[in-house]
Amino acid sequence: YTITELERNAVYRFRVSAQNAGAVSEPRELPDPVVCKEPEIPPSMDLSALQSQDFVLKESSDFALKIPYSGLPKPKVSWLRGLGPLKESGRIFTKTLQDNTTLFIKRVTKADTGIFTLSLENLAGSQSAEFKMKVVGKPTAPQMPIEFDDVQPDSVTISWKQPDSDGGSEVTNYIIEKSDNRSATWVYVSSGVKR
């Protein structure tokens, strides 16, 4: 039997008697009083939709990380960047609803590389998770000088130095193009050149 219309956080004692056609029994009292309150459930976040907690973000793209969560009472949600609280701006911000929180990063920059931490806390406990962000972008041009190592009547061997910056990701290949003096048009030679 469910007893309703009780006051939240009030302490109650209960007893039960049996009744039949003959009479009502002596009451049997429950041994302990009860406080009418929500059950306490530790915070929990659902990361099952994520393939990984490590993200490679493309520079200038937009990024959103939505994490469902639960717990009673409703957990306090905090986002950290590095060791301190996340400083929200028009470009980096969060939105927290009743059962999920989302981290938004607009126009990702290389400065967004690092660790973001989601922390949930309530009276029953706490849980946190780290998300590693690595931002990759366009590498800089190969360093000068580009040199002619060997010139033959029908071929040229060239060499160059690696770019100053790989854009946050290893340079996998180089693209070679050519142009002759008769036209200003660049023509593709190869895109699979390794160094």
Side-chain angles (χ1 to χ4, degrees):
Y1 179 79
T2 301
I3 302 165
T4 60
E5 299 183 23
L6 300 175
E7 290 182 37
R8 178 177 276 194
N9 296 320
V11 179
Y12 291 94
R13 297 181 74 84
F14 295 95
R15 62 186 192 176
V16 178
S17 302
Q19 180 178 1
N20 66 13
V24 175
S25 71
E26 292 296 319
R28 182 77 61 169
E29 190 170 324
L30 278 85
D32 297 314
V34 67
V35 177
C36 290
K37 63 180 183 175
E38 290 181 293
E40 292 181 357
I41 301 172
S44 174
M45 57 185 83
D46 182 2
L47 304 177
S48 62
L50 302 179
Q51 294 178 357
S52 169
Q53 288 176 230
D54 296 346
F55 297 91
V56 177
L57 311 179
K58 190 172 181 181
E59 193 172 24
S60 299
S61 67
D62 291 341
F63 176 75
L65 175 61
K66 182 178 181 179
I67 305 294
Y69 68 86
S70 61
L72 283 173
K74 182 181 180 245
K76 176 185 175 204
V77 176
S78 303
W79 282 94
L80 306 165
R81 183 171 182 182
L83 299 175
L86 174 67
K87 294 178 183 167
E88 295 196 22
S89 65
R91 202 177 63 76
I92 300 176
F93 58 96
T94 62
K95 182 177 181 181
T96 299
L97 302 175
Q98 187 67 28
D99 62 353
N100 68 72
T101 183
T102 306
L103 169 68
F104 295 95
I105 305 176
K106 301 289 183 188
R107 297 174 312 283
V108 170
T109 69
K110 288 186 180 153
D112 298 325
T113 294
I115 296 175
F116 291 77
T117 304
L118 170 59
S119 178
L120 304 175
E121 185 175 351
N122 69 9
L123 296 172
S126 64
Q127 183 182 22
S128 64
E130 287 187 347
F131 304 96
K132 295 178 183 157
M133 310 295 180
K134 179 180 179 184
V135 178
V136 296
K138 180 169 66 171
T140 58
Q143 293 181 52
M144 294 299 282
I146 295 178
E147 297 178 338
F148 295 102
D149 295 334
D150 185 31
V151 179
Q152 298 296 319
D154 61 351
S155 69
V156 173
T157 301
I158 61 174
S159 64
W160 57 90
K161 294 181 181 174
Q162 293 182 345
D164 286 329
S165 170
D166 64 7
S169 178
E170 179 183 351
V171 173
T172 56
N173 57 288
Y174 293 87
I175 300 168
I176 308 296
E177 297 174 299
K178 69 177 181 176
S179 174
D180 63 34
N181 282 341
R182 292 177 291 217
S183 75
T185 305
W186 288 96
V187 179
Y188 165 84
V189 175
S190 177
S191 66
V193 177
K194 307 279 186 201
R195 199 166 177 282

